Structure formats: C-alpha cells, structure tokens
C-alpha cells in the first residue's frame, strides 16, 4: 500500500512495529522506548510530508502497569489540577485523565504534558470535568468509556475506508439539496465527489407538516448504504435532528462533529423524542437511534485537519452561532476543489462567542445561509439591542411584573444570562426546561467560548455559576417563581411550541404588568410567530377541552440577539474571507430571501451565485 510505504520511509529503520488506522488517524506503534521518547521531530516531519494525522504509541506489553502510571500522574500533576478520574484503554495504549483544571495537566507551553508522556509511555488524553455537574456530559463519557471494544473495531474499520486507496467512481463533484434549500429547517445536503458521498447536516423542520418534517431521502440519488460519512455543523435540531433516524435504518458509518455539539445533540434529540411521544405524531426514532449516533461519532476540534474519506479532508472552524458550532471546510481530492459550508453562522461578537472564522486558505465554492438575508434584515448594533432589552426588563421590574422569555435551551438562554450578569441585574432569574442541563455542557467546554469569556471564567467569574440563577425542576418550583415577582423566567421552547414555557404563558398571559419578550427567530407556523403577528386570543388544550386565553401581557421582540449573521454581517463575512470564492450557493432562508441575497452577492462581489430549491443538483467541478 502506497501510503504506508511512504510512512515507513519517513521513520528510522526498525522503529515501527505495527501501523493501525484509527478513524482519521494513522497510529504507529513502536517497541523502541528510546525512539518513542525522542520522536517529536520524526512525527512532525511525517505529518507535514504526508498531510495526515499521525500518532506514535508504545506496544501494549511494554507499557508500565496501571498502578505505576497512576502514581506517576499523581507525582507529576499538581493537586490543584483536581484530577477526578483516570481511565485506561490498554487496547489503544491510551490513558484518559479527567481533571477540573486541564490547563494544569498541560502546564506552561505544554511542558507538564510532554514530560508526562515520556514518563508514563501511555498516550495521555485530557478530559475537562464540567464546573457545573452535567448528567448528559457524564453519561455520554461513561458510554464512550464502556464501549471500548466496539469503538476500537469501529475506528479501525473507518480508518481503513479512509486510508486504503479506492477507485474513482465518478468524474464530477456536485451537491444535491435534500432539505433546507429555499427554506429554513431540515437542512441536509448530499455531496458527491469522485470517490465519496457524504451528507452535510441531517435536520428536521420542527414546524413542518407530514413528510416536510424531514429531509427528502426517497430520491434515487440518495442511498443510505453509499454514504461514507455524515458531518454535523451544530446541535440545533434543524441541522442534526434526523441523524438518529439514519442509524435506526441501517447506517453504520461515522458522523463528525465537535465534542460540545455531540453533548448538545444528545440532550436535544432525547428531548425531541419526548416531544414526539407527547404529540400525536408518530415518533421518527427512539433513544436507541440517539445512542447509536453517539457511539458512531468521531469528534474533531476546531482547526484539526482530518481525512474523513478517501478524497475529502475536513476542517471545522468556529461559526460563532452556538457552542461548538462549526463552519465546515472540505478539501476535495488534494486541492482539486474546496468547499466552505458556512451555516449557521454569526460574523459578530457576542458575550459567549467570537465572530465566525474567516482565514481559510482556499475556497472555491461557498455555501452560505440567508436566514436574515433580505434588505429588511439589518439589525441594530449590539449595544443598542442590549440597552433596549434591559430597558424592557427593568420597566417590567418597576411594575412588579414578570418577564417571560421563551428561549431555546442552548445559546440564546445563556447569552441572555450573560447580558443580565453584565448589566448587574439583581432580581431573581428562573431557568425552566433544559436550560440548566445546557449550562452544564457550556461549563464543560470553556475553550469553545469567546476569548473574553474564557478570561472571565478563569478569573472565577463564570456566569453559569452566578447565584442570580435559580433552577425550576418541578411544579412547586414553578409556583414559587410566580410568587417571586418581580422576576425573570427564561424557559423552553423558544417558539412556544410545547415545553414548560406554555405553563408560564398560561399563568402570566392575562396580567398586563407582565412582559413576553421574544429574543429569537420565530418560524412560520409556530405560536410564537402568530403572537408576533398580533394574535391575542390563544386557544389552549386543558384536560381535553379547549380554553381561550386573552393575551394582555406586553409583547416585545428584541431583534439583534440572534445567533445568525444579519444581512450586513453576511456580506461582511463574504467580503472579508481570506480566499475569494468563485461560486456562492445560498440556502437556509425563506424562498424570497435566498433569491434576494443571492442577487445581492452577484451585484456586490461579482461572483456567480445561485439559490437552488430542494432536489436541485449543482455541479461544482
Ligand atoms: Zn442553528
């Protein structure tokens, strides 16, 4: 095999005992301890030459015992690192160190970590223990640690598919929209390259009806058995909500996403199953599908260039949209064509996240959203938005009222929390629904937050640990919140489609001292959108009967807290991209908006731009 021959040439004679292909990595095993300790240069050189991820490990039988390693770790790592657990994976010569302060395990400039590696000979990996206890983070990690045998076999199988050379099957590169084209919801795109077929996102349309809920998979271009990989940009259900279905229907290949996306995906997908079971709709999948998806996920960090098929190299970069959200850069056929999938994204700074990454070396085709792509979609500057929001909140506090904020559990809720903290708000803030669970996931991945937020957290000013916030976990807690006026309640779901927010709305709607504040996108067909449009008599199901509620509370929409780029930010993103694309494909927006934005791109940048519909195919090469 050509690649392995080249690899062997780059290593000193007789240093390699075995090579294993493990997911996106080539793992080289050695029996030569001296070489292992002084191998940095060789590895660096091999990585640059082959442009592959390579890791060197010691053969299992030469590794020191687990007790010895445990002792060494305790000697070398300061107690302040607060190591809570050490897991061993002898099959891969890997040891996982769970620590509350991973920075102290790594040490200045990585020194402690390098020293550790030489002393223990096992390959150390670090896992951050979240500062806020999170059941979902714990159970996913537990599952991964208990599925060692499965994971090893699975990663080897994936690795062989990636690295063993494969014949060319077609001489084109094209994309076919299976969902999310000229619409918002059920994002799903099929990419065909000469040697592979991958899916970018696999979402559901929460507000959709019947077979418009999920992507169009009954087209002859799509065959589940031919899919080499699925790539998920971020954890919103309209991008990942249909993934478990694929695994329940026979897909057994890898899915790529960032680690925070994996945790958030699990949280949201499991909750969605609950929602499906409560509503009349037939559940599309069960918890088994979610579990399979987790087991088959390979997580990558921002900037980690990885081969994911025989002719596609994937790099995730910060998208600025939600925790762990990624712009997807695909280098196809060693530079033959480069695609940047830039949705969902925000090219503007928020408290929690830095703006979307723009320093891509090469981009020929840019795929971009137009959720806020029309001329009307220009949002006021962020500081004004914040001022307006705080004013509405404070006015309600002065009236002794309650502010109800329907919110997604992920991101918007945390951003609103950060705004309240930054503005020294000091009335109680109640969090209902899964917001608290999502907070736990946020606290597990501070390195995915903005630089300024990271500095705050390391100084001990973690907004998620602020005593201002109180968790609602029961009916009694809910009643307590209503008695604590004035106060703020942030609750799911974000578009008033189910969830505890409806309980709050029922209780608070008829009091004009209260305020309902929309802080996020309200999709067509949702109750949120109808109320925004002026609907004031709201039917509710109660004990099988329909009651009508008169909405007398103040209704406000604060535009500009969105996790999406507005029109100006989208244009700025394209304009500032380091590499200028020669084709732009606009999706993820209402039909009129994608058309309008696509025309604007052509006019402003003189780049060919299209806004296709679902099922249209576009050839890129
Ligand atoms: Zn999103």
């Amino acid at each position: 095999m050509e690649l392995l021959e080249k690899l062997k040439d780059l290593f000193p004679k007789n240093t390699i005992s075995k090579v294993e292909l493990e997911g996106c990595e080539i793992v080289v095993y050695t029996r030569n301890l001296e070489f292992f300790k002084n191998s940095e240069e060789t590895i660096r050189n091999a990585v640059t030459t082959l442009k592959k991820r390579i890791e060197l490990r010691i053969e299992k039988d030469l590794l020191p015992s687990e007790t010895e390693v445990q002792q060494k770790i305790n000697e070398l790592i300061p107690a302040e690192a607060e190591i809570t657990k050490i897991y061993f994976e002898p099959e891969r010569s890997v040891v996982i160190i769970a620590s509350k302060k991973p920075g102290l395990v790594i040490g200045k400039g990585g020194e402690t970590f390098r020293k550790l590696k030489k002393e223990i000979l096992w390959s150390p990996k670090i896992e951050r223990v979240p500062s806020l206890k999170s059941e979902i983070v714990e159970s996913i990690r537990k599952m991964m640690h208990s599925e060692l045998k499965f994971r090893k076999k699975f990663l080897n199988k994936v690795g062989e598919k990636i690295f063993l050379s494969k014949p060319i099957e077609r001489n084109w590169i094209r994309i076919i929209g299976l969902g999310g084209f000229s619409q918002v919801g059920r994002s799903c795109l099929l990419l065909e390259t000469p040697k592979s077929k991958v899916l970018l996102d696999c979402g559901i349309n929460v507000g959709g009806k019947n077979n418009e809920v999920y992507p169009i998979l009954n087209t002859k271009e799509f065959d589940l058995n031919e899919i080499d990989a699925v790539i998920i940009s971020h954890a919103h259900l309209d991008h990942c909500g249909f993934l478990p279905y694929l695994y329940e229907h026979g897909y057994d290949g890898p899915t790529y996403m960032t680690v925070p996306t994996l945790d958030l995906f699990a949280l949201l997908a499991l909750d969605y199953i609950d929602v499906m079971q409560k509503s009349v709709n037939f559940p599309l999948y069960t918890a088994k599908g979610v579990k399979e998806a987790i087991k088959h996920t390979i997580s990558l960090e921002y900037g980690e260039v990885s081969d994911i098929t025989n002719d596609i190299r994937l790099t995730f970069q910060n998208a600025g949209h939600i925790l762990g959200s990624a712009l997807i850069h695909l280098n196809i056929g060693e530079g033959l064509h480069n695609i940047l999938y830039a949705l969902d994204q925000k090219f503007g700074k928020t408290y929690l996240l830095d703006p979307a990454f723009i320093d891509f070396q090469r981009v020929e085709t840019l795929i971009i959203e137009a959720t806020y792509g029309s001329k009307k979609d220009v949002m006021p500057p962020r500081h004004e938005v914040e001022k307006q929001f705080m004013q509405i909140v404070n006015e309600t506090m002065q009236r002794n009222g309650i502010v109800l904020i329907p919110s997604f559990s992920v991101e918007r809720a945390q951003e609103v929390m950060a705004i309240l903290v930054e503005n020294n708000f000091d009335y109680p803030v109640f969090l209902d629904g899964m917001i608290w669970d999502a907070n736990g996931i946020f606290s597990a991945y501070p390195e995915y937050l903005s630089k300024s937020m990271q500095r705050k957290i390391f100084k001990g000013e973690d907004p998620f640990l602020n005593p201002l916030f109180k968790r609602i976990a029961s009916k009694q807690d809910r009643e307590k919140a209503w008695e604590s006026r004035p106060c703020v309640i942030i609750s799911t779901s974000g578009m008033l489609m189910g969830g505890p927010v409806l309980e709050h709305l029922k209780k608070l709607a008829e009091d004009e001292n209260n305020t309902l504040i929309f802080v996020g996108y309200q999709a067509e067909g949702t109750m949120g959108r109808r109320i925004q449009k002026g609907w004031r008599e709201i039917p509710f199901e109660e004990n099988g009967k329909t009651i009508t509620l008169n909405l007398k509370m103040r209704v406000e929409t604060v535009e500009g807290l969105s996790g999406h780029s507005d029109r100006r930010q989208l244009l700025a993103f394209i304009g500032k991209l380091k590499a200028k694309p020669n084709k732009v494909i606009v999706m993820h927006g209402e039909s009129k908006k994608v058309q309008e934005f696509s025309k604007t791109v052509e006019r402003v940048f003189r780049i060919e731009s299209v806004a296709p519909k679902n099922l249209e195919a576009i050839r890129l090469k």
Side-chain angles (χ1 to χ4, degrees), residues 234-236 238-239 321-322 343-345 564 588:
H234 67 288
H236 279 149
D238 60 326
H239 294 259
H321 173 62
I322 68 167
L343 56 125
D344 301 351
Q345 61 140 300
H564 292 271
H588 200 285

